[in-house]
Amino acid sequence: MCRVVDLKQAVLAKNDSAAHTLRAELTARGTTVVNLLSSPGSGKTALLERELGLARERGVPVAALTADLATENDALRLARSGVPVKQVLTDGLCHLEAAMLGRHLDGWLPEDTRLLFVENVGNLVCPASYDLGESLRVVLASVTEGEDKPLKYPTAFGLAQLVVVTKTDIAQAVEFDEPAFRAHVQQVNPGVEVVLTSARGGEGAGILLDRALAVGAGGAVHAPVMAQQPPAHHHHHAEGHDHVPGHAHEHVPGHAHEHGPGHAHEHGPGRGPGHDHGPGSRHTHPHSGVVPTR
């Protein structure tokens, strides 16, 4: 018998440890981190720009860090709000990780920051499995993306502590089925709150800011069922057991695994797919650009 160590599980365990440390450090200084996840084009930058402006109007010390594979376009937009903004360019990496976030905050995040909004890379797959040390995880979906989005990305929506629907000003034009969307969200994440917003029309203005402040003040946070399940076990394979090349493992925590050809497992935070480092593989580390406050 031989034991095969799941490198993805090891990567995620290391990330979990870094996230735990970062969360404790930021909480001790009074900073609440909000992790924003969505597909590209969901409108999260427009929504965040509006919320940052409202925070400044209310006198709430807030900052934002935005991550993209390339360009500083989002940071330039967010900086118009007048709050501290930092751009992280991931050079192709499809998600942020806790240690990476910690490095970019070191020496940059103002000491009095009450809320830090992290706009993750536009992607509902990789970022879903990585805890960034956040106190509130928000998943956004626009009315143009289809009512079945939560079913297509059950890990992202299943681990959300708040679900935000964007672009509701065009919901009627695109025939968005709100009841169906809500039902699908509840199917993968029972009890999570779903809120409606429109950066252009003003619906839900300040709701993201209000929810984040409530969490920072010690308010109750939704506990997704998926996040409460025990971690998946390590895999033990008999000698001579062949893995099909390219065979993907996505683990649902606590799910019993039968190793048949073509099966897939799904991961929750700290239990999800990481990046494999095979022999001779290279890991690209991100760099960042800083957009000064105005």
Side-chain angles (χ1 to χ4, degrees):
M1 298 290 289
C2 70
R3 179 170 181 171
V4 178
V5 177
D6 191 334
L7 294 180
K8 293 179 179 180
Q9 291 286 6
V11 168
L12 289 161
K14 182 177 180 180
N15 182 79
D16 284 351
S17 177
H20 177 78
T21 299
L22 183 60
R23 183 181 294 107
E25 292 174 351
L26 291 172
T27 299
R29 59 186 277 180
T31 301
T32 299
V33 178
V34 181
N35 185 7
L36 303 174
L37 295 86
S38 79
S39 299
S42 68
K44 67 178 178 293
T45 304
L47 179 64
L48 181 55
E49 182 180 2
R50 187 192 65 183
E51 298 293 300
L52 293 177
L54 288 173
R56 190 180 183 198
E57 289 176 11
R58 297 183 189 179
V60 178
V62 65
L65 181 145
T66 182
D68 277 305
L69 276 66
T71 84
E72 297 188 352
N73 294 347
D74 288 349
L76 292 171
R77 287 179 59 187
L78 295 178
R80 295 186 303 206
S81 65
V83 308
V85 173
K86 185 171 187 179
Q87 177 77 58
V88 173
L89 300 180
T90 65
D91 289 336
L93 192 63
C94 63
H95 60 275
L96 289 174
E97 298 179 10
M100 183 192 310
L101 177 61
R103 289 195 299 270
H104 286 290
L105 296 182
D106 187 27
W108 167 73
L109 188 67
E111 286 294 330
D112 66 342
T113 303
R114 189 171 172 189
L115 296 178
L116 170 65
F117 288 97
V118 177
E119 185 180 11
N120 219 315
V121 180
N123 184 339
L124 283 177
V125 182
C126 305
S129 299
Y130 286 83
D131 182 357
L132 298 183
E134 69 264 21
S135 297
L136 180 64
R137 175 176 290 210
V138 182
V139 174
L140 302 90
S142 75
V143 298
T144 62
E145 295 179 64
E147 297 79 11
D148 60 348
K149 200 80 169 188
L151 303 181
K152 290 182 176 180
Y153 298 93
T155 299
F157 282 89
L159 291 168
Q161 293 168 305
L162 177 67
V163 174
V164 174
V165 178
T166 62
K167 305 184 182 181
T168 57
D169 54 297
I170 60 171
Q172 185 174 358
V174 299
E175 300 182 344
F176 176 64
D177 189 339
E178 182 187 336
F181 179 84
R182 288 181 178 274
H184 293 153
V185 169
Q186 295 305 315
Q187 186 174 333
V188 299
N189 192 347
V192 70
E193 182 183 15
V194 178
V195 298
L196 305 180
T197 66
S198 169
R200 177 177 295 178
E203 181 176 8
I207 197 166
L208 184 58
L209 177 60
D210 291 341
R211 295 295 186 275
L213 288 171
V215 170
V221 182
H222 173 67
V225 173
M226 186 181 292
Q228 300 174 49
Q229 295 173 342
H233 64 273
H234 288 290
H235 303 287
H236 298 270
H237 301 287
E239 290 188 19
H241 176 83
D242 292 326
H243 267 297
V244 179
H247 178 70
H249 298 285
E250 292 185 57
H251 296 268
V252 176
H255 179 69
H257 312 297
E258 291 186 333
H259 291 273
H263 75 289
H265 311 288
E266 192 169 347
H267 292 265
R271 303 285 178 260
H275 36 278
D276 292 323
H277 300 288
S281 66
R282 297 181 60 190
H283 181 74
T284 304
H285 294 277
H287 64 273
S288 68
V290 180
V291 177
T293 58
R294 295 181 180 180

